[in-house]
Amino acid sequence: MKNKAAASIDTVSFKNLRRLYLFALLTIGITVLLSQLLIQYNLNSQRSDSRIINISGKQRMLSQKLTKEILILNFVTDTSKNKQEIIRINEIISLWKFNHNALEKGNDSLGFPKEKSPALTKLFVAIKPNFDTILNAATRLLENKKSHTKEQENQKLVQTILENESIFLSKMNEIVGEYDKEALEKVTLQSKTEYAILLFTLLVLLLEFIFIFKPTNKKVETLIFKLLFSEKKALKLAHDTEIISEIKENSVKELKSLNYAMENTLLYCRVSPDGKLIHIGEKFSKLLQYNPFISDKTFSQVVTPIEKEQIIIDRIIAEKQRSGWQGEINITNRKGESLWLDMSLVPVTIKKEESELLIICFDITERKKAEQEVERLNTENVTDKINQQKVISSKIVENQENEQNRIAREIHDGIGQMLTGLKFSLESINLDDKEKAAQKIEYLKKLSLDIIKGVRTATFNLMPPELSDHGINSALAKLTQELSKLTGKNILFYNKTNFDKRLDSLIEINIYRLTQEAINNAIKYADSSHIIVQLSHSNSILSITIDDNGKGFDIETAEKKRNSESGMGLLFMKERIQYINGRVFFNSIPGEGTRITFNIPI
């Protein structure tokens, strides 16, 4: 209870100190703001002072210039020069009069204030009779000169101007001095104000140090002293929490990577037992031309608009939702095109009495077309050729079917179950029991690594995105890199001539599959530890060479044994390279290694 009361008092004290601290900061902020506003106001008020002093000095010069020009006019006898002088004097009078009115009454365009100090007002009242006398005398003199009359009066007017001009200069000097004096007073006042604000700010900072920072420092020292008692326990708890947080974060990242891989490499979706679509992958939705944000349709309606095909799919889901199913289905898309899908239904248990179906498909339309083309060619060729093509086609289909079944089994038996185990293990972690939690975390690490490896293994033999995005050069580089990681063999790729062009997609796919077949043969049958893939090209030929240091084989013997794996492999490569108008060359020495070269016209 005492500890709780002390903690409550400390909390109240800290709240009070925080309020004082915020008040001090607010006071300093307001002081700085007021200082800037005051300074800006003074600067704005002083901005026109220099111009006013300049114009005031100019008035003295203009009065002298006016007197000088009138004297010149009085003694000029030439009529043409007389007219020019009158024009010049009128211009001087206009400017002199404009400036005097601006100084006396203010002017917005020049920035002259309308309000003036009593001293300046008094000086302008005193100078006004002299100004008006000079102005009226000059105006009458110009009128007489224009009419060439009243010469005696002109002499008196000139004398009047001369008498008032010296008085005007004296009084104008007083005005200029007064303007200068007032400007200096403004600067002095601004300086004193800034010093006062500075002293006030320093005072606030001093008070803040005495009444806020110093008490706060004592409170912090007391709090630190109290915290040191439980430091070891807190550090250990923080360390354990950090480890668990890092493990969770890594698990989330790995799950995101897994989800991204599934979204962009697999044709998959999640379906409820009654056939309703729960989620569909991005690649699958693009293939079916379906908007993934529409969630009120069944899986069969998403796959095909044909009612008969929908009934078949619904029957498969209803009958096989518990046991699972794998097979090929033929559908018609929304464009009326025929598609073949190799489909696997994998039942997944989410919670007790709650399950769903994971449906994974592979687009085998091109393979089906190839099979049909093989069948057509088989009917046109001689019996021996027909038999060979049947063997090759069946071998291709068998290999592809085996690979698809293997991937389906890996996903069903491996990845699906591991994901379910990962979910249950995450949910069952009890942070209070640290020993069991640590054991489960270690198990989750291993399980996550197994999932990632399973996904990589399951998706590796699918069409690599590098091939469609960047071409054969990037795809072969990625192929050798991934195979090297998966097998532990030293597999290297060299682009000897820096080939970076794109070829027809069919040619690139066949080059990739041929190279993949050659590397796999070197790994499986030749017992190779080093494999080198080299790419080079000329103006008309693209050449790919695969060298290995395996046990080699006798080429003639292998070609005669058409039913053996090596014989079928050679025949498969020859048939496939001919499909893209290329040639293949085999060079192997038993006990030393094998070289396979593919030449493709470009």
Side-chain angles (χ1 to χ4, degrees), residues 31-186:
T31 304
V32 173
L33 181 62
L34 290 175
S35 172
Q36 285 298 314
L37 291 174
L38 185 59
I39 290 170
Q40 291 300 322
Y41 174 77
N42 289 332
L43 289 175
N44 288 330
S45 65
Q46 294 172 20
R47 191 171 293 169
S48 61
D49 287 350
S50 60
R51 191 180 300 161
I52 289 173
I53 294 171
N54 183 36
I55 295 296
S56 300
K58 192 175 181 181
Q59 281 296 89
R60 294 181 298 179
M61 180 273 292
L62 288 173
S63 67
Q64 292 175 330
K65 188 175 181 181
L66 177 62
T67 305
K68 173 187 168 186
E69 294 296 335
I70 286 175
L71 289 173
I72 294 171
L73 177 64
N74 191 43
F75 294 103
V76 171
T77 57
D78 190 348
T79 305
S80 59
K81 291 182 178 180
N82 205 352
K83 291 180 180 179
Q84 294 176 358
E85 196 65 33
I86 290 172
I87 294 171
R88 190 179 299 114
I89 292 172
N90 276 324
E91 292 174 353
I92 294 171
I93 290 173
S94 298
L95 179 58
W96 187 54
K97 183 179 178 181
F98 174 78
N99 288 343
H100 188 81
N101 288 332
L103 290 170
E104 182 180 4
K105 300 176 182 178
N107 185 283
D108 293 334
S109 62
L110 294 176
F112 292 176
K114 295 180 180 180
E115 299 294 332
K116 291 183 289 295
S117 66
L120 282 172
T121 304
K122 184 177 179 181
L123 290 173
F124 273 106
V125 170
I127 203 174
K128 184 172 177 59
N130 303 103
F131 174 78
D132 292 339
T133 301
I134 295 173
L135 183 63
N136 293 330
T139 304
R140 288 174 58 191
L141 179 64
L142 291 177
E143 291 175 356
N144 292 338
K145 284 292 183 180
K146 287 180 182 179
S147 61
H148 303 288
T149 60
K150 302 179 181 178
E151 287 298 326
Q152 290 182 356
E153 184 183 355
N154 289 345
Q155 296 302 322
K156 291 180 181 180
L157 291 172
V158 170
Q159 188 62 33
T160 301
I161 291 172
L162 290 173
E163 290 173 356
N164 283 275
E165 194 269 338
S166 59
I167 301 172
F168 178 84
L169 282 177
S170 176
K171 292 181 179 180
M172 200 67 207
N173 285 334
E174 293 179 7
I175 291 174
V176 173
E178 183 62 27
Y179 273 124
D180 186 56
K181 176 185 173 183
E182 290 183 4
L184 181 60
E185 289 175 352
K186 289 180 182 178

Side-chain angles (χ1 to χ4, degrees), residues 210-399:
I210 295 172
F211 294 105
I212 297 176
F213 287 118
K214 198 171 180 181
T216 303
N217 186 47
K218 289 182 179 179
K219 290 288 184 182
V220 170
E221 287 178 357
T222 305
L223 182 60
I224 290 173
F225 179 77
K226 292 179 180 178
L227 290 175
L228 286 175
F229 180 74
S230 57
E231 181 182 10
K232 290 183 180 180
K233 186 177 180 180
L235 287 174
K236 186 176 183 304
L237 181 61
H239 180 69
D240 294 341
T241 305
E242 185 178 352
I243 291 174
I244 294 171
S245 176
E246 185 177 351
I247 291 169
K248 285 186 176 181
E249 186 176 341
N250 291 334
S251 300
V252 171
K253 288 181 180 179
E254 289 167 359
L255 289 174
K256 285 182 178 179
S257 300
L258 177 62
N259 182 65
Y260 179 80
M262 293 180 68
E263 288 280 344
N264 292 277
T265 58
L266 295 178
L267 304 175
Y268 89 99
C269 64
R270 293 163 49 213
V271 178
S272 63
D274 59 356
K276 285 289 183 70
L277 183 67
I278 299 174
H279 173 74
I280 185 169
E282 184 177 350
K283 188 175 181 180
F284 204 4
S285 62
K286 287 181 179 178
L287 177 67
L288 300 176
Q289 298 174 345
Y290 171 73
N291 184 358
F293 297 104
I294 301 174
S295 58
D296 58 346
K297 290 193 175 183
T298 63
F299 173 69
S300 59
Q301 292 172 339
V302 172
V303 172
T304 175
I306 307 301
E307 186 176 355
K308 290 183 180 179
E309 297 175 355
Q310 292 176 0
I311 294 172
I312 295 172
I313 295 172
D314 289 336
R315 187 175 68 249
I316 293 173
I317 292 176
E319 294 175 356
K320 305 294 182 181
Q321 60 177 275
R322 296 194 178 186
S323 61
W325 181 81
Q326 194 275 329
E328 297 177 356
I329 60 170
N330 181 230
I331 62 169
T332 304
N333 65 12
R334 285 167 175 76
K335 289 185 177 180
E337 300 170 343
S338 177
L339 293 178
W340 280 91
L341 297 178
D342 186 344
M343 187 169 71
S344 298
L345 271 66
V346 183
V348 178
T349 301
I350 306 300
K351 295 180 182 177
K352 282 187 177 181
E353 300 179 357
E354 183 178 345
S355 63
E356 62 183 45
L357 288 173
L358 178 64
I359 299 179
I360 300 174
C361 299
F362 297 94
D363 185 3
I364 57 172
T365 305
E366 294 298 327
R367 193 188 77 191
K368 284 293 185 180
K369 290 181 180 178
E371 291 174 1
Q372 294 172 0
E373 182 66 16
V374 169
E375 291 177 1
R376 187 185 67 80
L377 292 174
N378 286 343
T379 58
E380 295 177 355
N381 292 333
V382 295
T383 305
D384 186 48
K385 188 66 175 177
I386 290 174
N387 293 333
Q388 284 187 11
Q389 293 296 336
K390 284 182 179 180
V391 172
I392 294 170
S393 300
S394 63
K395 188 67 177 177
I396 293 172
V397 173
E398 181 182 352
N399 289 338

